[in-house]
Amino acid sequence: MNTLLALSIAIAAGLAVSRLARLVRLPNVTAFLVGGLIIGPSVLGILPRDMLDGFSVITEAALGFIAYSIGAEFKMSYLKRIGAKPLTITVFEGLGAVVLVDVVLIGCSLAGIPGFDLPMCVALGAIAAATAPAATLMVIRQYKARGPVSEMLLPVVAMDDALGLIAFAISMNIAQTLQSGAAMTVQGMLVSPLLEIVGSVVLGAALGLLLSLLARFFRSRGNKLALTIAFVFLALALCDLWGLSNLLCIMMIGAVMTNLCPAASVIIEQTDRFTPPLFLLFFVISGAELDLSVLPTVGLVGACYVVVRVLGKWLGSFLGSRLVNAHPNVQKYLGFTLIPQAGVAIGMAQLALTRLPAYGS
């Protein structure tokens, strides 16, 4: 099938299902996923799986702009107003999911329940920390949500992935050691993941500063948008080349730009107008890539992972919110907004595929 025809079909499917989703009051992001599932290999097969593999550049670009949009929410005036509350909540909800999933799955493994292999359980516990920023941002934008929950959610989701990457790097080292019987090292468990985080933040800050300076030389809104797109693509390329976190790096670009660039509001407005079709394609392609035939093989370990992770996210965010005396609505509802998993978790699973070949699939 022609690539442009495939993209046209993907956009049409997302738009069509979104009209139907409104009738049952579901958000657009759900409609886009369902639309992709319908035209994907698991249902109608209009988009073949080999063609979906060629759309990776679209999904990577979409994740880049999602990270940029979240970073642009980090205005210093806003951060001063909310203080250290998001950081505390992030630690509780992220580690809450990791610890609870680890305890339950490792407990099942030690009890000798089939399917609960110890290295795999440790790896799943690390993946539990990650939350999908894309779905979160899309729902907030669609409903124009403004209030204590949405204000707290964006910085928590942004910091959540940083915590998740650190937890994953440490846990994967433990899982590999359990699988091979080798000795654990401080280098692999702590130094390497911390260097990745610091490197991503430093690169993002440098690119954000350069973007803020160069934007002063362009008056046209279109040129400012083109410059922003170039920097997002540059960050994606450099992070891939140097093994850094593209999400953290591009979030930092957005955060520096929104605080230092006089034209920040213009750039953000133009970016928000440019990205909706890209986000639509991202979720339609994600839905099309879902393989329904895998569901029966997930088994008890998959069911435990889902249930315990949701409980860990909700309980951790509730305890963290209570500790910092957050708004009552934040205490009640924030945990439910942290349930989605997508790009970051899938990336972690792909890495587990190569580093834990016995359990990766």
Side-chain angles (χ1 to χ4, degrees), residues 21-97:
R22 287 201 172 191
L23 299 177
V24 289
R25 297 173 182 262
L26 285 175
N28 286 341
V29 60
T30 307
F32 298 155
L33 288 167
V34 172
L37 179 63
I38 292 172
I39 64 175
S42 291
V43 183
L44 297 181
I46 297 174
L47 298 183
R49 193 162 296 281
D50 58 344
M51 176 163 280
L52 293 175
D53 294 336
F55 291 156
S56 60
V57 66
I58 295 176
T59 58
E60 189 175 1
L63 281 172
F65 280 101
I66 287 163
Y68 179 82
S69 297
I70 293 177
E73 298 285 338
F74 278 56
K75 296 178 181 177
M76 287 305 297
S77 57
Y78 166 68
L79 294 177
K80 287 178 181 177
R81 180 163 59 85
I82 61 175
K85 290 181 180 181
L87 179 59
T88 303
I89 294 173
T90 301
V91 171
F92 271 79
E93 59 86 10
L95 294 183

Side-chain angles (χ1 to χ4, degrees), residues 12-349:
L15 291 173
V17 179
S18 69
R19 294 299 92 189
L20 299 175
R22 287 201 172 191
L23 299 177
V24 289
R25 297 173 182 262
L26 285 175
N28 286 341
V29 60
T30 307
F32 298 155
L33 288 167
V34 172
L37 179 63
I38 292 172
I39 64 175
S42 291
V43 183
L44 297 181
I46 297 174
L47 298 183
R49 193 162 296 281
D50 58 344
M51 176 163 280
L52 293 175
D53 294 336
F55 291 156
S56 60
V57 66
I58 295 176
T59 58
E60 189 175 1
L63 281 172
F65 280 101
I66 287 163
Y68 179 82
S69 297
I70 293 177
E73 298 285 338
F74 278 56
K75 296 178 181 177
M76 287 305 297
S77 57
Y78 166 68
L79 294 177
K80 287 178 181 177
R81 180 163 59 85
I82 61 175
K85 290 181 180 181
L87 179 59
T88 303
I89 294 173
T90 301
V91 171
F92 271 79
E93 59 86 10
L95 294 183
V98 172
V99 171
L100 204 58
V101 170
D102 271 341
V103 167
V104 173
L105 296 189
I106 292 173
C108 291
S109 175
L110 296 178
I113 300 177
F116 288 81
D117 297 302
L118 192 56
M120 183 181 68
C121 292
V122 173
L124 283 173
I127 295 173
T131 300
T136 303
L137 185 66
M138 284 284 286
V139 173
I140 287 176
R141 283 189 173 178
Q142 179 183 346
Y143 295 108
K144 298 180 175 61
R146 286 295 171 192
V149 177
S150 57
E151 282 190 355
M152 186 65 71
L153 175 59
L154 286 174
V156 168
V157 168
M159 291 184 287
D160 185 88
D161 286 326
L163 180 67
L165 288 169
I166 295 172
F168 180 75
I170 295 171
S171 296
M172 279 303 300
N173 185 271
I174 296 173
Q176 286 181 292
T177 302
L178 290 171
Q179 181 181 249
S180 64
M184 297 183 188
T185 64
V186 175
Q187 171 72 26
M189 288 181 62
L190 293 176
V191 178
S192 294
L194 286 176
L195 285 176
E196 179 183 336
I197 297 299
V198 172
S200 303
V201 170
V202 170
L203 177 62
L207 291 176
L209 178 60
L210 186 58
L211 172 60
S212 301
L213 293 174
L214 291 178
R216 300 169 187 263
F217 295 97
F218 297 93
R219 294 184 179 181
S220 164
R221 288 171 176 256
N223 286 340
K224 283 183 169 65
L225 174 62
L227 184 67
T228 303
I229 294 171
F231 268 80
V232 171
F233 287 175
L234 175 63
L236 289 169
L238 291 178
C239 288
D240 184 56
L241 187 65
W242 295 336
L244 301 176
S245 169
N246 52 23
L247 282 177
L248 286 178
C249 177
I250 299 177
M251 280 179 194
M252 198 65 192
I253 293 176
V256 172
M257 185 280 305
T258 198
N259 286 290
L260 297 183
C261 182
S265 59
V266 173
I267 293 175
I268 293 168
E269 180 187 352
Q270 289 298 104
T271 306
D272 288 346
R273 292 183 178 185
F274 163 77
T275 50
L278 187 63
F279 292 167
L280 185 157
L281 278 172
F282 170 73
F283 284 105
V284 171
I285 292 169
S286 298
E289 289 176 339
L290 291 173
D291 187 358
L292 296 182
S293 64
V294 173
L295 290 179
T297 68
V298 170
L300 182 60
V301 65
C304 282
Y305 169 81
V306 172
V307 173
V308 177
R309 176 184 173 274
V310 170
L311 183 60
K313 284 283 182 184
W314 180 85
L315 186 60
S317 65
F318 175 77
L319 292 175
S321 300
R322 286 292 296 270
L323 182 66
V324 297
N325 196 29
H327 190 281
N329 282 352
V330 173
Q331 298 179 28
K332 290 179 184 177
Y333 305 120
L334 186 66
F336 296 112
T337 68
L338 299 170
I339 292 173
Q341 282 201 297
V344 178
I346 292 171
M348 290 178 177

